[in-house]
Amino acid sequence: MSAPGAMLSRPPTPAGSPPSPVPQVVLAVVCGGYALGAAFGWGSTEVALFMGDFGLSFAALVAAVSCGLYARRHRSRLRPAWMLFAASSAMAGIGNGVWGWYEVILGTTVPSPSPADFCFLLFAPPAIVGLLVLAKRPVSRAGWVCLGLDSWLIAGSLLTLSWSLALAHTAHFQGRSVAQSALSLAYPLLDIVLVSMVLVLHFRRSSVHRSAVNTAIAALALTVLCDALFSSPLLREHYRSGQILDAGWFAGSMLLAYAPWVARRAEEEEPEEVAEPAAVRVPLGSRPLAGSLAALTPYLAAAVCTLGILTNVLDGRRIDRVVLFTGCTVVLALVVRQGIMLLDNITLTHELAQKENHFRSLVQGSSDVIMIAAPSGVLRYVSPAAAGVYGRDAEELIGSELATLIHPEDLGRVVHEVRRFLAADPQDEPTTRIECRFRAGGQRSGVDGWLNVESTVNRHHGGLIFNSRDVTERVRLQAQLQHNASHDALTDLPNRALFTERVTQAVTGRRASDHDTAVLYIDLDGFKQVNDTIGHQAGDELLIQAARRLAESVRAGDIAARLGGDEFAALITGDGTRDRAAREFRIHEIADRLRIKLSEPYRIDGRDVRVAASIGVAFAEPGVTPAGLLRNADLAMYRAKQAGKGRVELYAPQMQDEVAHRAELASKLRTALHEGEFALLHQPVVDLATGRVTAVAAHARWRSAEGILFTPAEFLRVGDRGRYTDDGDRAAELDRWQLEEAVRQAAARHRAGHQIPVAVRLSARRLLDRALSPKGVEALLARHGLPARELVLELSESDSRIPLDDLERRLVALGRLGVRIALDGFGSGYAAITALRRLPVDVLRLDRGLVDGVVESSRLHKITAGLLRIAGDLGMQTVADGVDLPEQVLALRSMGCTHGMGLAFSGPLDEPRLRRALTRTGYPVPDHAGQGRAVVLSGSGVPARRGALAGPETMAHPPLRSNSETSVPPT
């Protein structure tokens, strides 16, 4: 067999389990036993009479009960037929019982006619109607007429033949009454009708419950045969109850009793409305033969009728009028039936032509290609759409083997799917879908002469129908989408998901034993400044060039990826080196080469841009997971940035210990937030001219359970957003607590008569939170009763990722409420000028780095003086941070700075000390002549002065202490 033939050949399907033979065996034994007893006369005349009468009565009643019980339990379309068969069997049982009453009980001859004859005559009509119910119902009026004509054709032919052979003699039998003659004719005539219905039903039976219907037909046929033998004058004269003829009636009743239950489980599970496909359920050739016999039935009936008439003619007898009349009606019925069939055929031919035209129009006008493949795999039909889809004419494809048109790499999969489909049950899987590459020609050849084709496959006379369409563009789009899902959109390098997958394969796959496989985690130092200075578009171009350098620098078997932002990674597969020093040297050399390559100048918009690269290296040590390997490389890279950037660091286990320590501290911070271990201190903001406290700056402090006092510089780097902690929410919670507590304490001081503003330091990201919306701030102030003018929000940093437009809108909205905005740390970053230009700032706080060297450095003196002039021209209040020495006070005041805060006046104070400081008139400040230099004592926040300005309130204080040592009262 050729390859296509092997593809389309139907594999053998396993046969279902056969039904249990026990009921058939029991039925055969019972019927055989009865026949054996009847053949030997039952041993005595009395037993023969009893079994011939009451035995038949019992069998008929068993059939009645069986059919009636089945009809009651199982509701289906055939239920009325079984009810009628039950009634028919009941009549036969009653008739046999009456017959036995006369012969066995009374011991007399059964009179003719008798009540038994009345019951026997009532046996036929229910059975005839039941057979009509079993027949397949015609769908049209002509079908009903043809059914009646077929019944009369069979009945008329049998009547003609029976009348010619025997019934004519019975009708003219002398010495009998009219009732006896009518009774003699009624039995054979009813049997003829029954035989006619049996024959008609044989060719028109329904496909539902086929086994049960066939068994019922066989039972009635056997009963009719025995009735026909009983009606024969020769046999009836010598008939006695209990003879072998009774065995036929007994077997007919037992078969009818068994009929409704035969194979009921398998057949009732099928839907009654759905006829099974002939090619699947019926052996090849059985249906055509049955159809031929059904078509020849009218002609066979006419031939039998003609044979009856010829019998009379050849015997030299005069043709009986009954035979002549019946023959004429049979011929007339045949002519009428032929006329109906001719008209029906004309109508069907017309409908068939219309359907064929519709089918042809649909097939030829469809955009899909429809192909019919023979069982040998050869294409027998191809629709004209093939020219537009495949670029090949349909005539060129017809006669081709299907296997030669499918891509060799897809042929095995297609053959497997086709064989599986042909082996499946058509009821469960009527169609299947196959996608493969199909050979094309002309301009539709696609890549390498193949198109991606999707086909819906249906069965067709042992072959297949393919409804195919071109899906090449869809396949390309899917491949592109899959590529986009696993690659970075900007650089086209593998993204984090694909890189993690490759790392997993390298760690857990066949190369899991290569311990020298390493992951390089790369971060570009200074990339943020590129975005801030020359724009994000230049930053994107730098990333593209860096990705190109990285991809060109790694080996063919390695993989480079962009993980996000300015972070890249590379997977360096091992070469089996066992020496630890050798593998570290090799990987360090590769990483250093990548660092040098990535640190070379980038040409962007006609200028050279320089960034450095910090690289962390981690090896796939035994037991390390893919996620752990990436984390280790990330830790090493972070260590490289902490150590000065632009370097390569190898992962060491102690790095994880540091992360664990930071995580422990972060956990303690979370606990402190809920346990209320935070306290709020306030540092006075002093007017440099008068020494009066004009505002206070709120500072959070945390005293841990161990008694350690942490400053913001220590705990905020844990609580704020970081690389290895997820405490951004905790930092936000801390900021919310700090703002709430600052407003609450400021409101309490306001009610006590100290109406001074409080400044709360917040990041730009936090100012954009929903919790700090203008409505939220307004509700907070209203809840505590603090005027909006007494709240100052200090913008602590400028993040390039924060859109200035959104920040500007938020600050303007807060300004409308009366809240003042301060720019903290001015002079410490490149983005400060941009923030000063764009944002609505009321207060400018100079960075501590400017204040520290303002006395010693003339350069810083000039820079600070220039910044102060700008602030003065813009009408802003200026506050110098970190004013710790009297010389700094004099210098800043001479340059125009209005306010300051620092150890020259006071450190952060708790609430009781702050209240005492506010009750004083102010802090002493040095004069212009420099008399009476101030000695700053920061412990209590109140400095002591000597000289002319010293007064009776002068106090001695302990030496200077750092802010971190400020005591916190127990809470």
Side-chain angles (χ1 to χ4, degrees), residues 60 88 185 227 364 374 442 446 518 613 738 743 869:
S88 177
L185 290 175
D227 287 345
Q364 294 183 353
Q738 182 177 346
V743 171
R869 282 196 300 272

Side-chain angles (χ1 to χ4, degrees), residues 309-460:
I309 297 176
L310 289 177
T311 302
N312 289 337
V313 174
L314 293 177
D315 289 346
R317 297 194 303 270
R318 184 174 61 87
I319 300 176
D320 193 280
R321 284 179 293 178
V322 175
V323 174
L324 183 60
F325 177 77
T326 304
C328 292
T329 55
V330 167
V331 173
L332 180 61
L334 180 61
V335 172
V336 173
R337 188 183 187 283
Q338 286 300 107
I340 293 175
M341 294 300 298
L342 180 61
L343 294 176
D344 195 23
N345 287 340
I346 293 175
T347 303
L348 290 178
T349 303
H350 181 66
E351 292 179 356
L352 181 61
Q354 287 184 339
K355 291 181 179 179
E356 184 177 359
N357 291 333
H358 292 165
F359 171 76
R360 190 183 305 276
S361 300
L362 288 174
V363 171
Q364 294 183 353
S366 175
S367 59
D368 293 348
V369 180
I370 299 175
M371 302 183 297
I372 300 177
S376 61
V378 177
L379 293 178
R380 297 304 186 192
Y381 174 80
V382 179
S383 65
V389 176
Y390 299 147
R392 304 175 65 179
D393 294 334
E395 292 77 9
E396 180 184 353
L397 293 175
I398 294 175
S400 302
E401 292 186 354
L402 190 58
T404 61
L405 302 174
I406 299 175
H407 197 281
E409 296 179 1
D410 300 337
L411 182 59
R413 176 171 50 84
V414 173
V415 170
H416 174 75
E417 175 61 21
V418 169
R419 287 180 175 176
R420 186 204 61 78
F421 171 65
L422 292 177
D425 189 351
Q427 297 282 354
D428 299 333
E429 191 174 2
T431 63
T432 187
R433 288 182 179 271
I434 294 176
E435 188 170 330
C436 63
R437 284 168 288 181
F438 197 87
R439 188 183 300 278
Q443 297 180 352
R444 298 290 298 165
S445 60
V447 180
D448 298 331
W450 300 96
L451 291 177
N452 293 94
V453 175
E454 181 188 60
S455 301
T456 302
V457 185
N458 296 270
R459 298 172 179 85
H460 175 70

Side-chain angles (χ1 to χ4, degrees), residues 125-193:
I128 294 171
V129 178
L131 289 173
L132 286 174
V133 174
L134 290 179
K136 185 184 297 184
R137 297 179 181 178
V139 296
S140 63
R141 187 177 300 174
W144 284 104
V145 175
C146 288
L147 177 62
L149 292 176
D150 290 343
S151 302
W152 171 243
L153 286 171
I154 296 174
S157 61
L158 293 178
L159 178 61
T160 301
L161 186 61
S162 301
W163 190 273
S164 300
L165 296 178
L167 294 182
H169 303 286
T170 302
H172 294 87
F173 188 76
Q174 301 296 327
R176 305 185 69 175
S177 64
V178 176
Q180 291 175 340
S181 300
L183 186 61
S184 300
L185 290 175
Y187 280 115
L189 290 176
L190 288 175
D191 288 339
I192 289 173
V193 175

Side-chain angles (χ1 to χ4, degrees), residues 783-799:
R783 184 165 63 250
H784 293 286
L786 181 68
R789 66 179 179 276
E790 295 188 12
L791 175 62
V792 180
L793 296 179
E794 295 182 352
L795 184 62
S796 63
E797 63 181 20
S798 178
D799 190 345

Side-chain angles (χ1 to χ4, degrees), residues 648-970:
V648 177
E649 286 285 343
L650 298 180
Y651 169 77
Q654 56 267 26
M655 297 180 184
Q656 187 65 33
D657 297 336
E658 295 177 2
V659 175
H661 175 70
R662 293 171 59 87
E664 181 182 2
L665 188 60
S667 178
K668 292 180 179 179
L669 174 62
R670 289 192 295 269
T671 304
L673 283 171
H674 294 286
E675 301 265 341
E677 296 180 2
F678 278 91
L680 199 64
L681 304 183
H682 296 82
Q683 187 167 13
V685 178
V686 180
D687 190 327
L688 297 182
T690 64
R692 185 172 57 87
V693 178
T694 61
V696 292
H699 298 290
R701 292 292 188 272
W702 169 34
R703 182 181 294 279
S704 66
E706 293 80 4
I708 302 175
L709 190 65
F710 292 99
T711 63
E714 293 170 319
F715 67 77
L716 285 183
R717 67 168 175 262
V718 177
D720 204 357
R721 62 185 184 278
R723 295 179 55 85
Y724 306 110
T725 61
D726 55 353
D727 295 315
D729 294 339
R730 302 300 175 188
E733 185 177 355
L734 177 61
D735 286 342
R736 287 193 294 270
W737 174 87
Q738 182 177 346
L739 179 61
E740 178 89 19
E741 187 67 12
V743 171
R744 185 187 67 80
Q745 294 186 16
R749 290 192 296 271
H750 180 81
R751 289 191 292 271
H754 306 294
Q755 301 179 3
I756 58 173
V758 59
V760 182
R761 187 173 184 266
L762 297 172
S763 66
R765 182 180 299 275
R766 205 71 69 217
L767 281 172
L768 290 177
D769 284 351
R770 292 184 178 180
L772 289 178
S773 65
K775 292 184 178 179
V777 174
E778 185 178 11
L780 174 64
L781 295 172
R783 184 165 63 250
H784 293 286
L786 181 68
R789 66 179 179 276
E790 295 188 12
L791 175 62
V792 180
L793 296 179
E794 295 182 352
L795 184 62
S796 63
E797 63 181 20
S798 178
D799 190 345
S800 61
R801 293 171 294 182
I802 300 297
L804 281 178
D805 294 337
D806 297 343
L807 185 59
E808 181 181 4
R809 285 193 293 268
R810 175 60 57 88
L811 295 181
V812 168
L814 291 172
R816 293 196 187 102
L817 297 177
V819 177
R820 292 193 293 167
I821 306 298
L823 185 60
D824 186 24
F826 188 78
S828 61
Y830 295 105
I833 296 298
T834 303
L836 188 64
R837 179 175 59 88
R838 295 282 305 273
L839 302 179
V841 177
D842 303 305
V843 181
L844 193 66
R845 178 180 288 186
L846 296 181
D847 186 70
R848 178 182 290 269
L850 295 176
V851 177
D852 285 343
V854 72
V855 178
E856 295 83 2
S857 174
S858 60
R859 183 181 182 87
L860 283 179
H861 189 281
K862 294 178 181 178
I863 293 175
T864 305
L867 295 177
L868 290 172
R869 282 196 300 272
I870 294 175
D873 293 340
L874 294 176
M876 297 180 184
Q877 179 182 339
T878 55
V879 178
D881 190 9
V883 182
D884 297 335
L885 300 173
E887 293 84 353
Q888 295 172 343
V889 176
L890 295 174
L892 291 170
R893 189 170 58 191
S894 64
M895 287 186 285
C897 183
T898 59
H899 296 79
M901 55 185 294
L903 296 180
F905 308 105
S906 173
L909 304 175
D910 55 27
E911 188 65 22
R913 294 180 179 179
L914 178 62
R915 292 287 183 96
R916 290 198 298 268
L918 294 178
T919 57
R920 300 187 179 94
T921 57
Y923 291 99
V925 294
D927 56 11
H928 294 282
Q931 298 175 354
R933 294 177 63 92
V935 179
V936 182
L937 303 174
S938 63
S940 64
V942 182
R945 300 180 56 205
R946 296 182 176 88
L949 296 180
E953 73 279 0
T954 303
M955 302 172 59
H957 296 280
L960 294 175
R961 298 190 290 181
S962 68
N963 290 344
S964 62
E965 296 175 329
T966 304
S967 59
V968 180

